[in-house]
Amino acid sequence: MSNADTPVQAVILVSCPDQPGIVAKLAGALHEVGGNILDASQHTDVSSRTFLQRIHVSWPHDSPEPEAVQEAIDETAAEFEMTWRIRWQQSPRRVAIFVSRQDHCLHDLLLLQRDGALQCRIPLIISNHKDLEEVADRFGVPFHHVPVQGSVDEDAEAGQISLLSAHDIDLVVLARYMRVLSPKFISQYESRIINIHHSFLPAFAGGRPYHQAHVKGVKLVGATAHYATAELDAGPIIEQGVIRVSHRDSVTDMERKGSDIERTVLARAVRWHLEDRIVVHDGRAIVFD
Amino acid sequence: MSNADTPVQAVILVSCPDQPGIVAKLAGALHEVGGNILDASQHTDVSSRTFLQRIHVSWPHDSPEPEAVQEAIDETAAEFEMTWRIRWQQSPRRVAIFVSRQDHCLHDLLLLQRDGALQCRIPLIISNHKDLEEVADRFGVPFHHVPVQGSVDEDAEAGQISLLSAHDIDLVVLARYMRVLSPKFISQYESRIINIHHSFLPAFAGGRPYHQAHVKGVKLVGATAHYATAELDAGPIIEQGVIRVSHRDSVTDMERKGSDIERTVLARAVRWHLEDRIVVHDGRAIVFD
Amino acid sequence: MSNADTPVQAVILVSCPDQPGIVAKLAGALHEVGGNILDASQHTDVSSRTFLQRIHVSWPHDSPEPEAVQEAIDETAAEFEMTWRIRWQQSPRRVAIFVSRQDHCLHDLLLLQRDGALQCRIPLIISNHKDLEEVADRFGVPFHHVPVQGSVDEDAEAGQISLLSAHDIDLVVLARYMRVLSPKFISQYESRIINIHHSFLPAFAGGRPYHQAHVKGVKLVGATAHYATAELDAGPIIEQGVIRVSHRDSVTDMERKGSDIERTVLARAVRWHLEDRIVVHDGRAIVFD
Amino acid sequence: MSNADTPVQAVILVSCPDQPGIVAKLAGALHEVGGNILDASQHTDVSSRTFLQRIHVSWPHDSPEPEAVQEAIDETAAEFEMTWRIRWQQSPRRVAIFVSRQDHCLHDLLLLQRDGALQCRIPLIISNHKDLEEVADRFGVPFHHVPVQGSVDEDAEAGQISLLSAHDIDLVVLARYMRVLSPKFISQYESRIINIHHSFLPAFAGGRPYHQAHVKGVKLVGATAHYATAELDAGPIIEQGVIRVSHRDSVTDMERKGSDIERTVLARAVRWHLEDRIVVHDGRAIVFD
């Protein structure tokens, strides 16, 4: 489960009712199976008295037996009523990107993945339009055109889900995909669909946020990356950014300024997800940096 | 209308239906009455086809006759169906500050005014609590305690308005004043009441915005300075700012981080108002910088 | 000098010793030749007592005679010892992009130009490496590989300049071009070469700025777009931006974070140049917004 | 060593050559003496292969015996060649503030301490001028006027140090104190003197940074909080911030805009120091958030 050169690494995310001793017990358990803690971040949610921790472990000496690691954590988990998951870093996630006609976010994701700044594979791009097929071609990523009729199109969603299944997709990124996904679709990828909304949510949820911002005369426009949930634009917020605008900016100017923020914010959210830095607890995204 | 040392200066704000030639005509008219344009900013609101301009004029040679200036502008104004106003900079505005219990914004305004960064007089502070009387005393500003009962208190408002009238107040600054003013009060000081709301409006209008922001799990908290209108927290936005927060921040932490932004944003809005940089058009505040 | 549909527009930049009456006279002169002032910004440099103005003019009724416009301005210019220039917006500038191996800035410029956010033509890309030929091909821009030997390579510069001349280039953009241009080259394109330096100048001028920043332990890294001058990284600053870093960020992390700022800052500087918003006075770039 | 109501808490900072097992061993040791880890942050400096950790511990059940805790950590420390220190949170630090004539930073520190946002005592303010005695009086903090002659004044420094000793001062905050302290003074308070410099260091070290920034025409001005070292303005950087400026801003405008950043940046640095979040390693300040 390793090659000779680099030690095996994994990220473990745990959650349990808060009580004394968790950190020491878990650290001890990992130590006993040969793990060395490279980084550990914890957070206690005060209102629900919940302990959450992200542990980045390496095995500097011998490659671990995954079963032994699992058993060691399970033992501690039982003691503290802990839910937990582990991701071995040798197996990068598989990401599908959904787009419509705008390509600024798509370009960024493809360039970052190419440069190694996003540790993942991108087996396919899905779009309700054909416009961006050319971009996909340039980067050698298979492009699937799935036309969408009406506000929710069950056939289209069936086609999309069948593509996601066929390619064993772990994460869906909505990179300015301008259609709404059904709650049924979303429930199959809970906390695994990241959307970029082009406003500082919860302000200007829904359609045409830059128009809304222009009418309102705000002095900053923003972008919000969040996990999609059944309620539109209301899922756990992962990252946000803003940029200054003024009365001189038309809606088009706002769109241009905002697009710089959109792609940066989305790229950051995707990277954090791929690095297992995000835990959703009680409707909020905790991002361990 | 001047002293020997510094030339007389004025700021003129004009608004009219857009058409060619306005800038040249107005510049010519001011030149003829001895005015020199130190700075001129213009904006054309495309949807309403309205021309707006701020002109900062000085009289480098002789002091002007205000009547002659008025007559010269009136003539151009008639030609272009222009509404306009002039403020001679020799007469600083008179500002009343409303506060409740928190003093971070109050402190800033008093220090800035003392240091000459806010060109105004502050003849009084009004509060529904006695807590900040001591701060007012330190800065030598008369403090008036006007207790407020219930959600709207007509007697209290009558008392406040009578104080404002007696002190010939031009501008009311709500520096974390935690009570709602009635539409009737507000209508008497249209575009002359500046409020600081401790969120990035239109997100989290109404009460306890930091609590709302914490529940929602936003990654930035903000502050908005706006003119008060009859609809709560919906008046023209003058300035906004944000600061980064994370899951580690409790509501109290957010309040502390936000307070730095609140006072900066409020101070900027007040300064722009005092420098006649703001025109409200079609429900939006245009800030000429 | 126009088509039937859109009025002819021009931007005029003037500079002269400050004295009363300039604004009115110039506005009057433009009015007389049929020009309507869409926007005018002025600045008086106090230390040198110099008046600077940018005027955006349209001819809403009839197309102007360029000679008549020139004559009208010349007359005012003579009176005020004014230097001035006019750019008719019907003729977009011709821009050459210089790159080495990194393509994040190049991609942004090409996408923005394609989307109409940069009003210019891009007749060629010049590089000292072949790596980015593929990117140029994708966007259909001719790519010229000009290898550079040693710290200054006269032959290479001769080749570059001959390409610039042959393509009638108005503006050179150094989009992470990692070689130094000679003072002789730079003098031929004074205030017409924009460079992006990946630090917050004047901090970390010269080579490997992210390494310098890492050693120094700064908490923000930045980028600076400036006009190239004979002195390395010391030319007039057009725009700057920063992004937060911490001890957790390696040099590679800083490079990745910084690249987002670099491309945004460079794109903004290029756009402002193309919109004739920049005047260099006394070694500083004045940007009229 | 506690009262009945709140559990005893402490912050432990450790540093040692990096090797596997440290985290688990230390967590185990603290667990054995009844400690519960509320928060733990670690950092490995790659170039020097040094492991650094901040551990926030509470004793939820019984108050600890400090000697037993010390012994337990010492044992682990010996195994890993660790240097370490502990701060029991029941004993707030004692802070002296040095000022000259400007009071914006002083005001902020005093207000934050009064509101409980800075956990410390402020037994005295020292100044080379009498101007701010009045501010000190308002807040009930003893003010000591120590005039300073020439560039370094040994008598003045002797007086200052004697005051610091007499008041058992842990931390010196230079809140816009405009004199240079001698290396001898500084060496007595290594990593315990925080200075605010009004520029984005390393740009514009030394005197009159806003003037330097104005001459240079930068588009952002900044502030840097750092530990004072023998070399002027070159000590470990704790925090930095910037604010946008333009050609329209005079030096005075820059000073006003900068002062908002100065006080925010300084207050943040002081709070982090008081919360034992900062470790200086290899000339850089690591801030555990």
Side-chain angles (χ1 to χ4, degrees):
Chain A
M1 185 160 182
S2 136
N3 64 43
D5 298 335
T6 53
V8 171
Q9 297 191 10
V11 170
I12 300 164
L13 291 166
V14 310
S15 164
C16 63
D18 190 32
Q19 58 177 289
I22 305 169
V23 174
K25 280 287 174 66
L26 205 48
L30 291 167
H31 183 61
E32 273 171 37
V33 291
N36 181 42
I37 295 176
L38 294 179
D39 195 52
S41 304
Q42 67 193 69
H43 175 65
T44 303
D45 183 71
V46 175
S47 59
S48 65
R49 302 196 60 75
T50 304
F51 173 87
L52 304 146
Q53 194 177 24
R54 176 188 188 266
I55 312 175
H56 184 184
V57 193
S58 80
W59 277 263
H61 305 303
D62 302 306
S63 293
E65 298 295 328
E67 298 74 22
V69 173
Q70 167 123 4
E71 209 170 290
I73 305 177
D74 271 342
E75 203 172 310
T76 311
E79 186 181 344
F80 292 98
E81 300 172 68
M82 195 178 275
T83 59
W84 67 281
R85 65 176 199 258
I86 190 167
R87 170 166 294 270
W88 299 95
Q89 298 206 332
Q90 279 68 9
S91 52
R93 281 202 184 73
R94 300 173 62 81
V95 177
I97 305 180
F98 279 47
V99 292
S100 290
R101 285 197 161 111
Q102 288 186 286
D103 64 352
H104 54 281
C105 288
L106 175 62
H107 254 102
D108 248 40
L109 295 171
L110 293 172
L111 288 171
L112 289 170
Q113 193 264 353
R114 183 203 68 183
D115 294 345
L118 291 181
Q119 295 286 352
C120 64
R121 300 193 200 290
I122 302 179
L124 80 164
I125 294 168
I126 294 176
S127 181
N128 57 329
H129 293 288
K130 287 190 168 170
D131 306 48
L132 302 184
E133 179 157 21
E134 196 196 8
V135 177
D137 287 352
R138 281 183 213 156
F139 285 86
V141 179
F143 180 91
H144 298 265
H145 178 221
V146 182
V148 178
Q149 314 294 340
S151 66
V152 172
D153 179 334
E154 293 201 0
D155 291 346
E157 289 208 345
Q160 292 164 340
I161 285 175
S162 130
L163 281 166
L164 300 183
S165 301
H167 288 86
D168 202 14
I169 292 302
D170 299 295
L171 175 68
V172 174
V173 178
L174 308 178
R176 294 301 306 269
Y177 180 65
M178 305 306 282
R179 309 299 306 217
V180 175
L181 299 176
S182 74
K184 189 180 146 201
F185 186 127
I186 289 167
S187 69
Q188 291 182 56
Y189 288 87
E190 197 193 332
S191 296
R192 294 193 295 146
I193 304 174
I194 297 179
N195 181 45
I196 182 72
H197 183 79
H198 42 309
S199 86
F200 183 78
L201 288 173
F204 312 132
R208 295 163 55 93
Y210 291 128
H211 287 80
Q212 293 184 55
H214 191 259
V215 167
K216 187 71 195 166
V218 292
K219 302 307 182 189
L220 299 165
V221 294
T224 304
H226 64 98
Y227 286 118
T229 54
E231 187 185 344
L232 185 67
D233 297 333
I237 293 171
I238 304 170
E239 174 61 337
Q240 300 188 291
V242 292
I243 194 166
R244 185 161 279 270
V245 293
S246 81
H247 63 273
R248 280 188 295 264
D249 291 302
S250 65
V251 171
T252 306
D253 294 332
M254 286 184 174
E255 281 170 354
R256 196 185 59 219
K257 289 186 171 181
S259 72
D260 280 339
I261 295 296
E262 290 165 27
R263 57 188 188 175
T264 312
V265 162
L266 178 59
R268 236 179 263 157
V270 171
R271 195 171 64 244
W272 292 341
H273 182 96
L274 295 175
E275 295 175 354
D276 294 285
R277 297 192 174 280
I278 315 178
V279 178
V280 173
H281 175 73
D282 212 8
R284 277 171 290 176
I286 290 156
V287 180
F288 289 115
D289 49 7
Chain B
M1 186 159 180
S2 138
N3 64 44
D5 298 333
T6 53
V8 171
Q9 297 191 10
V11 170
I12 300 165
L13 292 165
V14 310
S15 164
C16 63
D18 190 29
Q19 57 177 289
I22 306 170
V23 175
K25 280 287 174 64
L26 205 48
L30 291 167
H31 183 60
E32 272 171 39
V33 291
N36 180 44
I37 295 176
L38 294 179
D39 195 51
S41 307
Q42 67 193 69
H43 175 65
T44 303
D45 182 71
V46 174
S47 59
S48 65
R49 302 194 62 73
T50 304
F51 172 89
L52 303 146
Q53 193 177 25
R54 174 189 189 266
I55 312 174
H56 183 185
V57 193
S58 81
W59 278 263
H61 304 302
D62 300 306
S63 294
E65 298 295 326
E67 296 75 20
V69 173
Q70 167 122 4
E71 210 169 290
I73 305 176
D74 270 341
E75 203 172 312
T76 310
E79 186 182 344
F80 293 98
E81 300 173 67
M82 193 179 276
T83 59
W84 68 280
R85 63 176 201 257
I86 190 167
R87 168 165 296 271
W88 300 95
Q89 298 205 333
Q90 279 66 11
S91 51
R93 281 202 184 72
R94 301 173 61 82
V95 177
I97 304 178
F98 279 46
V99 292
S100 289
R101 286 196 161 112
Q102 288 185 284
D103 63 354
H104 54 281
C105 288
L106 176 63
H107 254 101
D108 249 39
L109 295 171
L110 293 173
L111 287 170
L112 289 170
Q113 192 264 353
R114 181 203 68 182
D115 293 347
L118 291 181
Q119 294 286 351
C120 65
R121 300 193 199 292
I122 302 178
L124 80 164
I125 293 168
I126 294 177
S127 181
N128 56 329
H129 294 287
K130 286 191 169 169
D131 306 48
L132 301 185
E133 180 157 20
E134 195 195 8
V135 177
D137 287 354
R138 281 182 213 156
F139 284 85
V141 178
F143 180 90
H144 298 265
H145 177 221
V146 182
V148 177
Q149 315 293 338
S151 65
V152 171
D153 179 334
E154 293 200 1
D155 291 347
E157 288 208 346
Q160 291 164 341
I161 286 177
S162 128
L163 281 166
L164 300 183
S165 302
H167 289 86
D168 202 13
I169 292 301
D170 299 295
L171 175 69
V172 173
V173 178
L174 308 178
R176 294 300 304 271
Y177 179 66
M178 305 306 282
R179 311 298 305 218
V180 175
L181 298 177
S182 73
K184 189 178 147 203
F185 185 127
I186 289 168
S187 68
Q188 291 183 57
Y189 287 87
E190 197 193 332
S191 296
R192 294 194 295 146
I193 304 175
I194 296 178
N195 182 42
I196 182 73
H197 183 78
H198 42 309
S199 87
F200 184 77
L201 289 173
F204 312 132
R208 297 167 51 97
Y210 290 128
H211 286 79
Q212 293 184 56
H214 191 260
V215 167
K216 188 71 197 162
V218 293
K219 302 306 181 190
L220 299 166
V221 293
T224 303
H226 64 97
Y227 286 117
T229 54
E231 188 186 344
L232 185 66
D233 297 333
I237 294 171
I238 304 169
E239 174 62 335
Q240 300 188 292
V242 292
I243 194 165
R244 185 160 279 271
V245 292
S246 80
H247 62 272
R248 280 189 295 264
D249 291 302
S250 64
V251 171
T252 306
D253 294 333
M254 286 184 174
E255 281 170 353
R256 196 186 58 218
K257 289 186 171 181
S259 71
D260 279 339
I261 295 296
E262 289 164 28
R263 57 188 187 174
T264 311
V265 162
L266 178 59
R268 237 181 263 156
V270 171
R271 194 171 65 245
W272 291 339
H273 181 97
L274 296 176
E275 294 174 356
D276 294 284
R277 296 192 175 279
I278 315 176
V279 177
V280 174
H281 175 72
D282 212 8
R284 278 172 290 177
I286 290 156
V287 180
F288 290 114
D289 49 5
Chain C
M1 185 160 184
S2 136
N3 63 44
D5 298 335
T6 53
V8 171
Q9 297 191 10
V11 170
I12 300 164
L13 292 165
V14 309
S15 165
C16 63
D18 189 31
Q19 57 177 290
I22 307 170
V23 174
K25 281 286 173 68
L26 206 48
L30 290 166
H31 183 60
E32 273 172 38
V33 290
N36 181 42
I37 295 177
L38 294 178
D39 195 52
S41 305
Q42 68 194 68
H43 175 65
T44 303
D45 183 71
V46 175
S47 59
S48 65
R49 303 196 59 77
T50 304
F51 172 88
L52 304 145
Q53 193 177 24
R54 175 190 189 266
I55 312 175
H56 183 184
V57 193
S58 81
W59 277 263
H61 305 303
D62 301 305
S63 295
E65 298 295 327
E67 298 73 23
V69 172
Q70 168 123 3
E71 209 171 291
I73 305 177
D74 271 341
E75 203 172 311
T76 311
E79 186 181 343
F80 292 99
E81 300 173 69
M82 195 180 274
T83 59
W84 67 280
R85 65 175 199 257
I86 191 168
R87 169 165 295 271
W88 299 95
Q89 299 206 332
Q90 279 67 10
S91 51
R93 282 202 184 72
R94 300 172 61 83
V95 176
I97 305 180
F98 279 47
V99 292
S100 289
R101 285 198 162 110
Q102 288 186 285
D103 64 353
H104 55 280
C105 288
L106 175 62
H107 254 102
D108 248 40
L109 295 172
L110 292 172
L111 287 171
L112 289 170
Q113 193 263 354
R114 183 202 67 182
D115 294 346
L118 292 180
Q119 294 287 351
C120 63
R121 300 194 199 292
I122 303 179
L124 81 164
I125 294 168
I126 294 177
S127 181
N128 56 329
H129 293 287
K130 286 190 169 168
D131 307 46
L132 302 185
E133 180 158 18
E134 196 197 7
V135 178
D137 287 353
R138 280 182 214 157
F139 284 86
V141 180
F143 180 90
H144 298 265
H145 177 222
V146 182
V148 177
Q149 314 293 338
S151 66
V152 172
D153 180 334
E154 293 201 359
D155 290 346
E157 289 207 346
Q160 292 164 342
I161 286 177
S162 131
L163 281 166
L164 300 183
S165 301
H167 288 86
D168 203 14
I169 292 301
D170 299 295
L171 175 68
V172 174
V173 177
L174 307 178
R176 294 301 304 268
Y177 179 65
M178 304 307 281
R179 310 299 305 218
V180 175
L181 299 176
S182 74
K184 189 179 145 201
F185 186 127
I186 289 167
S187 69
Q188 291 182 54
Y189 288 87
E190 198 193 331
S191 296
R192 294 193 295 148
I193 304 174
I194 296 179
N195 181 44
I196 182 72
H197 183 79
H198 42 308
S199 86
F200 184 78
L201 288 174
F204 312 133
R208 296 164 54 94
Y210 290 129
H211 287 79
Q212 293 184 55
H214 191 259
V215 167
K216 187 71 196 165
V218 292
K219 303 306 182 190
L220 299 166
V221 293
T224 303
H226 65 97
Y227 287 117
T229 54
E231 188 185 344
L232 185 67
D233 297 333
I237 293 171
I238 303 169
E239 174 60 337
Q240 301 188 292
V242 292
I243 194 166
R244 184 160 280 270
V245 293
S246 80
H247 63 272
R248 280 188 296 264
D249 291 301
S250 65
V251 170
T252 306
D253 294 332
M254 286 184 174
E255 280 170 354
R256 196 184 59 219
K257 290 187 170 181
S259 72
D260 280 339
I261 295 296
E262 289 165 27
R263 56 188 187 175
T264 312
V265 163
L266 178 59
R268 236 180 264 157
V270 171
R271 195 172 63 244
W272 291 340
H273 181 96
L274 295 175
E275 295 174 354
D276 294 284
R277 297 192 174 278
I278 315 178
V279 178
V280 174
H281 175 73
D282 213 8
R284 278 171 289 176
I286 290 156
V287 180
F288 289 115
D289 50 6
Chain D
M1 188 164 177
S2 137
N3 63 44
D5 298 334
T6 54
V8 170
Q9 298 191 9
V11 170
I12 301 166
L13 291 166
V14 311
S15 166
C16 63
D18 190 30
Q19 57 178 289
I22 307 170
V23 174
K25 280 287 175 64
L26 205 49
L30 291 167
H31 184 60
E32 272 171 39
V33 291
N36 181 44
I37 296 176
L38 294 179
D39 195 51
S41 307
Q42 67 193 70
H43 175 65
T44 303
D45 183 71
V46 174
S47 59
S48 65
R49 303 194 61 75
T50 304
F51 172 88
L52 303 146
Q53 194 177 23
R54 175 188 189 267
I55 312 174
H56 184 185
V57 194
S58 81
W59 278 262
H61 304 302
D62 300 306
S63 294
E65 297 295 329
E67 297 75 21
V69 173
Q70 167 124 2
E71 210 170 291
I73 304 177
D74 270 341
E75 203 171 313
T76 311
E79 186 181 344
F80 292 98
E81 301 174 68
M82 194 179 274
T83 58
W84 67 280
R85 63 175 202 259
I86 190 168
R87 168 164 296 271
W88 299 94
Q89 297 206 333
Q90 279 68 9
S91 52
R93 281 202 184 73
R94 301 172 61 81
V95 177
I97 304 178
F98 279 47
V99 291
S100 289
R101 287 196 160 111
Q102 288 186 285
D103 64 354
H104 54 281
C105 288
L106 176 62
H107 254 101
D108 248 39
L109 295 171
L110 293 173
L111 287 171
L112 289 170
Q113 192 264 354
R114 182 203 66 184
D115 294 346
L118 291 180
Q119 294 287 351
C120 64
R121 300 194 199 292
I122 302 178
L124 80 164
I125 293 167
I126 294 178
S127 181
N128 57 329
H129 293 287
K130 287 191 167 168
D131 307 47
L132 302 184
E133 180 157 19
E134 196 196 7
V135 177
D137 288 353
R138 282 182 213 157
F139 284 85
V141 179
F143 180 90
H144 297 265
H145 177 221
V146 182
V148 177
Q149 315 294 337
S151 67
V152 171
D153 180 334
E154 293 200 1
D155 290 347
E157 288 207 346
Q160 291 163 341
I161 285 176
S162 129
L163 281 166
L164 300 182
S165 302
H167 288 86
D168 202 13
I169 292 302
D170 299 295
L171 175 69
V172 174
V173 177
L174 308 178
R176 294 301 304 271
Y177 180 66
M178 304 307 282
R179 311 298 305 217
V180 175
L181 298 177
S182 74
K184 190 179 146 201
F185 185 127
I186 288 167
S187 69
Q188 291 183 55
Y189 288 87
E190 198 193 331
S191 296
R192 294 194 294 147
I193 304 176
I194 296 178
N195 182 43
I196 182 72
H197 184 78
H198 42 310
S199 87
F200 184 77
L201 289 173
F204 313 131
R208 296 165 54 95
Y210 290 128
H211 287 79
Q212 292 184 57
H214 192 259
V215 167
K216 188 72 196 161
V218 292
K219 303 306 180 190
L220 299 166
V221 293
T224 303
H226 65 96
Y227 287 118
T229 55
E231 187 184 346
L232 185 66
D233 297 333
I237 293 171
I238 304 169
E239 173 62 334
Q240 301 188 291
V242 292
I243 194 166
R244 186 160 278 270
V245 293
S246 80
H247 62 272
R248 281 189 294 263
D249 291 302
S250 65
V251 171
T252 306
D253 294 332
M254 286 184 173
E255 281 170 353
R256 195 186 59 218
K257 288 186 171 181
S259 71
D260 279 339
I261 295 295
E262 290 165 26
R263 57 188 187 175
T264 311
V265 163
L266 178 59
R268 237 180 263 157
V270 171
R271 194 171 65 245
W272 291 339
H273 181 97
L274 296 176
E275 295 174 355
D276 294 284
R277 297 192 174 278
I278 314 176
V279 177
V280 174
H281 175 72
D282 212 8
R284 277 172 290 176
I286 290 155
V287 180
F288 290 114
D289 50 5

